[in-house]
Amino acid sequence: MNNRASSFLWNLRQFSTLIPTSRTVRLYPLGFCGPKHVYSNRNPRNLLNNFDNRMQAPVRYLFQDALIFKSGDDDFQTKGVSTVTVLTFCRLFCRRRLSFDVEHSPVSDNGLKKTELHHDASNEDVLTKETKPTPINFRKLSQECNSLSDVLGAFSKAPTFPSSNYFSAMWTIAKRMSDDQKRFEKQLMFNHPAFTQLCEHMMREAKIMYYDDVLFSLHAIVKLGIPQNTLLVQTLLRVVQERINECDEKCLSVLSTVLEAMEPCKNVDVLREGLRILVDQQIWKIERVFTLQAVMKCIGKDAPIALKRKMEMKALRELDRFSVLNSQRMFEVLAAMNHRSIILLNECSKKVLGNIHGCPFRILMSILQSCKDLRYRNLDLFKGIADYVATTFDIWKSKQVLFLLILFENLGFRHTHLMDLFMKKVVDEPDFVNMQSVVSVLHVYASLNHTYRCLTQEFLDAMASALTAYLHHISSENLLNAVYSFCLMNHFPLAPVNQLLQKDIVNELLTSGDVERNVHKLHILTTCLQLDDTSYHKATGFALPPLPSTPSRPNAKVAKALRSLLGEGCFSENVQLPHNYHIDFEIRMDTNRSQVLPLSDVDAVTSPTDSQRVAVLCVPRSSYCLDSNHPRGFLAMKMRHLKVMGFYVILVKNWEMEKLRMEDAVTFLKSEIYSTEDLPTADVNFQSTY
């Protein structure tokens, strides 16, 4: 009996090697939530792989059980899940010997031509030659078809391997269409009866087609707008994960582009992590600069700093091979990975400036935005871009120039010639300023404290007229921003101010949006109406909540230098003034500013005209325009108001004071305190030594 059992078991094991093995897959009929089972890791291009796939690459261990979707109540989804058997044949498939066992497939073919898979080699070859149509190139297909539906029609008539050609052809055709036509064609594509069949073919073939075909398919599918949480996309992501070690340089470029276009999800995050490991191993083998930049842009801001530095070193090695386009693109690449490489940025800036003429608007915007994100300040680069735009001002649209000025303002850069040209454009053609641009124009010129001497009043009047025309359409917050900008420029148009100070609008500002910022700007408005020479004499009629107190520490080096120069008891620190103004140091002097008065003597003075109050302000670099002595809007307004309150203002630049020795700091303060020069009689908002 034992001998018979042993013989039976031995024969059963031998028979099992002759029939297909099977595994269980969880199916989600609606097309959402991918299979839980991890696909086999067969590489069809490597004929030395064993059939059991016992040897797995180290990177692939990252992807086990990566695709497990949960429902809203954190329970695994089970509704509508069916269990089927998928046959795995222990033989090698190649592109010229492909056929499907449709009867055992996890999805139906809906009437498409079915082919049985025979295990006899000669029979399989004959049947494949008889039933398999001639493969078609996606470029030829995209030339022969005029719409996405045409491609699907060609597929339904004679489907060929690989299915990636059809998706690539559809994306190639879609790129030639306008946005409206593209939306219409995509809707027809989703409703086409062959679209579902094509997706089913793609999922079946993904395991056995070339790796680059899988990546091109995934790229086309994402670009065509197929939802990312569908079974098709998630299946392809898993296949790409398992075969990631098949990536060559071309595949790295395509994979990086695909991941950049996808939203974060579990499979995407795991695949990105695998890409980082792979790039860390192969970084020195990358030959094309375009591939290097695509990978750098894809690895993300949270990549390890060691990997970022390694990629920076690789880019520096390839610097001599950079084209103009590579140099222009490097700003965006470094911003995408949040890595500020000063050497790399400086070298690319030189090449950009050397080829600035003819540079497209989109590239200029990308460079300036990247500089802002990276906190990279290159005065030569900014000046070169602004000079080019000013020289070719007539060929640019006013909207384009405004976008560039907004970015320059974010960078703190003030180009007088370009801003003068745009101001003249506003005065000459006020109709081009619409409701969206009027707030932005006011913000740029108020923030940078810029004026054009002969056109200042005309410019302000033109902007006030434009704002007045949109009073019944503009939002309360935009109205507040516009009036705040006028306050910085010491201009108070009655209609916008009256509209803003209505109780319902003030209540809306105090209860919605960024309340703290709104309260701050309303305080500035009330201060300007009280201190500046305005034609608005009504009481505001509303009470504003107090501003939060911000603790301030006066500059220790300046305090030490003042003690050395004046002695103890001759100045006050951290002085709080009316109207929510604060000064770092206050000094009392005689009216001629030739002698400092001790604080005890000041108390005995009965008339304020017998002394001069001096305010010492320690200001950061951000209070000035980039690399200039021109104060920005808020600092200029504060200086104007302090002068109205009877102060003489001394500005101490923190970053320059830190560079001075104590003896030099004392000498500087002495020259400023005992100076016989006074502020110019012109509006302090427009004083500048730029």
Side-chain angles (χ1 to χ4, degrees):
M1 184 67 181
N2 292 337
N3 292 335
R4 290 182 179 180
S6 300
S7 177
F8 173 78
L9 292 177
W10 184 88
N11 290 329
L12 181 62
R13 282 195 298 268
Q14 296 299 316
F15 178 74
S16 65
T17 63
L18 301 177
I19 63 174
T21 59
S22 65
R23 64 170 181 264
T24 299
V25 177
R26 309 184 80 190
L27 282 187
Y28 297 78
L30 294 180
F32 294 89
C33 303
K36 181 178 178 181
H37 186 86
V38 180
Y39 294 90
S40 64
N41 298 318
R42 184 186 300 111
N43 179 356
R45 286 185 175 178
N46 187 356
L47 298 180
L48 298 180
N49 282 356
N50 60 51
F51 299 123
D52 293 331
N53 289 296
R54 295 185 177 90
M55 301 299 294
Q56 289 188 340
V59 177
R60 293 180 187 163
Y61 286 108
L62 291 169
F63 310 124
Q64 302 302 318
D65 297 326
L67 183 59
I68 301 178
F69 285 75
K70 293 186 178 181
S71 60
D73 55 356
D74 293 334
D75 295 329
F76 290 110
Q77 295 181 0
T78 57
K79 184 178 180 179
V81 179
S82 58
T83 302
V84 297
T85 301
V86 181
L87 299 183
T88 305
F89 296 96
C90 296
R91 58 185 297 129
L92 290 176
F93 289 91
C94 66
R95 297 178 66 164
R96 294 186 178 276
R97 300 183 61 188
L98 173 71
S99 57
F100 301 115
D101 189 350
V102 182
E103 294 180 356
H104 295 88
S105 174
V107 286
S108 64
D109 275 317
N110 296 330
L112 288 180
K113 177 182 264 189
K114 299 182 179 180
T115 304
E116 289 189 12
L117 184 61
H118 299 271
H119 298 288
D120 183 81
S122 59
N123 292 340
E124 178 188 357
D125 293 339
V126 173
L127 184 60
T128 301
K129 292 179 181 179
E130 293 178 354
T131 61
K132 181 182 177 182
T134 304
I136 185 169
N137 185 276
F138 83 91
R139 292 186 179 87
K140 181 180 179 182
L141 188 61
S142 62
Q143 293 172 357
E144 295 176 349
C145 299
N146 297 321
S147 66
L148 308 186
S149 299
D150 291 345
V151 177
L152 293 173
F155 165 77
S156 62
K157 293 178 181 178
T160 60
F161 179 85
S163 299
S164 59
N165 286 333
Y166 297 99
F167 284 108
S168 298
M170 285 193 291
W171 171 235
T172 302
I173 294 173
K175 288 190 293 184
R176 302 196 296 254
M177 299 178 178
S178 63
D179 292 339
D180 293 337
Q181 185 181 6
K182 192 181 300 183
R183 282 192 293 269
F184 178 72
E185 285 291 335
K186 286 181 180 179
Q187 189 62 40
L188 293 179
M189 176 190 73
F190 288 126
N191 296 331
H192 198 284
F195 178 70
T196 302
Q197 299 170 0
L198 177 60
C199 294
E200 293 168 355
H201 273 240
M202 186 66 229
M203 286 188 289
R204 286 200 298 269
E205 297 173 6
K207 294 292 295 181
I208 53 178
M209 67 172 56
Y210 288 159
Y211 190 65
D212 52 358
D213 288 338
V214 179
L215 289 176
F216 280 117
S217 300
L218 181 59
H219 177 264
I221 288 169
V222 171
K223 291 296 184 179
L224 285 171
I226 297 177
Q228 186 172 314
N229 61 344
T230 54
L231 180 59
L232 171 64
V233 176
Q234 296 298 327
T235 299
L236 294 182
L237 283 173
R238 291 299 298 270
V239 173
V240 172
Q241 291 172 9
E242 295 161 4
R243 299 171 58 185
I244 194 171
N245 281 339
E246 299 177 34
C247 262
D248 55 14
E249 184 170 335
K250 179 181 179 181
C251 293
L252 277 178
S253 178
V254 179
L255 178 57
S256 301
T257 305
V258 171
L259 290 178
E260 184 185 352
M262 300 189 74
E263 296 292 332
C265 71
K266 195 167 186 179
N267 270 331
V268 171
D269 295 340
V270 174
L271 184 55
R272 193 186 303 273
E273 186 64 31
L275 177 65
R276 291 173 182 173
I277 297 176
L278 188 65
V279 169
D280 187 57
Q281 299 171 353
Q282 300 184 4
I283 183 66
W284 306 114
K285 300 179 182 179
I286 296 178
E287 297 180 356
R288 298 176 64 240
V289 176
F290 180 83
T291 301
L292 175 64
Q293 291 183 327
V295 173
M296 292 174 68
K297 192 175 180 180
C298 174
I299 63 169
K301 298 182 179 181
D302 57 342
I305 187 63
L307 177 59
K308 292 181 180 180
R309 289 175 177 170
K310 184 181 291 188
M311 303 192 80
E312 176 190 1
M313 293 175 60
K314 173 64 175 178
L316 289 173
R317 286 189 179 185
E318 304 292 334
L319 198 57
D320 294 338
R321 298 175 51 212
F322 273 26
S323 64
V324 176
L325 183 60
N326 294 142
S327 300
Q328 294 170 345
R329 191 166 180 255
M330 184 53 69
F331 291 86
E332 181 183 3
V333 169
L334 292 175
M337 60 188 296
N338 192 27
H339 185 68
R340 183 172 59 176
S341 172
I342 301 298
I343 299 177
L344 200 54
L345 290 170
N346 288 342
E347 293 300 320
C348 291
S349 297
K350 295 176 183 178
K351 185 161 289 190
V352 168
L353 288 176
N355 301 270
I356 191 65
H357 292 283
C359 186
F361 169 75
R362 180 182 58 83
I363 298 295
L364 296 179
M365 288 286 293
S366 175
I367 291 175
L368 294 177
Q369 182 62 48
S370 300
C371 290
K372 174 182 176 294
D373 295 340
L374 292 170
R375 302 175 302 281
Y376 174 67
R377 304 294 186 265
N378 187 327
L379 186 63
D380 293 334
L381 176 64
F382 301 159
K383 190 175 184 300
I385 294 176
D387 286 341
Y388 166 64
V389 176
T391 304
T392 58
F393 186 82
D394 293 335
I395 69 174
W396 298 92
K397 297 179 181 179
S398 299
K399 187 177 181 180
Q400 292 176 326
V401 179
L402 177 58
F403 283 150
L404 293 173
L405 288 177
I406 291 173
L407 285 176
F408 281 138
E409 185 276 330
N410 292 334
L411 295 164
F413 176 69
R414 171 177 171 262
H415 191 274
T416 55
H417 183 42
L418 181 59
M419 298 189 74
D420 290 346
L421 288 174
F422 189 80
M423 182 180 286
K424 189 175 184 302
K425 178 83 170 179
V426 171
V427 173
D428 294 340
E429 302 177 16
D431 294 337
F432 99 88
V433 180
N434 55 29
M435 186 172 63
Q436 289 75 25
S437 61
V438 63
V439 179
S440 299
V441 173
L442 286 171
H443 172 73
V444 168
Y445 280 83
S447 175
L448 296 177
N449 185 29
H450 180 80
T451 183
Y452 191 15
R453 292 291 182 182
C454 59
L455 289 177
T456 300
Q457 195 59 43
E458 296 181 29
F459 171 75
L460 294 175
D461 291 340
M463 296 305 300
S465 299
L467 180 61
T468 303
Y470 298 110
L471 283 181
H472 298 291
H473 307 283
I474 195 171
S475 66
S476 300
E477 190 169 353
N478 282 336
L479 178 60
L480 175 62
N481 293 334
V483 173
Y484 173 76
S485 298
F486 275 123
C487 291
L488 296 184
M489 294 187 287
N490 197 16
H491 188 71
F492 307 93
L494 288 179
V497 173
N498 286 328
Q499 178 79 6
L500 177 62
L501 294 181
Q502 293 181 7
K503 289 186 178 181
D504 55 339
I505 293 182
V506 173
N507 291 334
E508 180 183 350
L509 292 170
L510 295 179
T511 56
S512 62
D514 191 340
V515 176
E516 184 176 347
R517 184 182 61 181
N518 294 342
V519 169
H520 171 73
K521 291 184 177 181
L522 287 172
H523 272 287
I524 294 297
L525 173 60
T526 56
T527 299
C528 290
L529 294 179
Q530 295 175 20
L531 296 180
D532 290 321
D533 184 15
T534 69
S535 57
Y536 188 90
H537 301 294
K538 299 179 183 179
T540 54
F542 55 84
L544 294 175
L547 291 174
S549 58
T550 54
S552 176
R553 296 181 180 179
N555 190 299
K557 191 171 185 178
V558 175
K560 185 176 181 180
L562 287 175
R563 292 190 186 95
S564 177
L565 176 63
L566 305 178
E568 292 290 347
C570 291
F571 63 93
S572 302
E573 299 183 37
N574 199 13
V575 181
Q576 188 67 39
L577 300 175
H579 307 293
N580 299 296
Y581 279 129
H582 165 271
I583 58 177
D584 297 283
F585 303 97
E586 180 184 358
I587 305 172
R588 299 292 181 94
M589 305 183 70
D590 62 352
T591 55
N592 296 324
R593 290 183 46 233
S594 60
Q595 182 180 358
V596 175
L597 303 177
L599 297 180
S600 58
D601 295 343
V602 173
D603 296 336
V605 176
T606 57
S607 175
T609 59
D610 295 336
S611 65
Q612 172 67 59
R613 303 177 74 181
V614 178
V616 180
L617 303 180
C618 301
V619 294
R621 191 190 297 267
S622 59
S623 295
Y624 289 90
C625 293
L626 183 63
D627 199 32
S628 75
N629 294 323
H630 187 79
R632 299 191 66 170
F634 184 79
L635 176 59
M637 181 188 64
K638 184 176 181 179
M639 294 167 62
R640 183 179 78 232
H641 288 168
L642 289 176
K643 184 179 180 181
V644 173
M645 297 166 65
F647 283 91
Y648 175 80
V649 181
I650 296 175
L651 299 180
V652 178
K653 301 175 181 177
N654 287 335
W655 70 98
E656 291 186 355
M657 180 60 65
E658 295 301 324
K659 300 177 183 177
L660 299 178
R661 298 178 301 174
M662 184 55 64
E663 297 82 1
D664 297 331
V666 172
T667 302
F668 167 77
L669 290 174
K670 182 178 180 180
S671 64
E672 291 293 321
I673 293 173
Y674 295 102
S675 174
T676 58
E677 299 178 1
D678 201 353
L679 288 176
T681 57
D683 193 341
V684 72
N685 277 71
F686 308 131
Q687 81 166 28
S688 173
T689 57
Y690 181 71

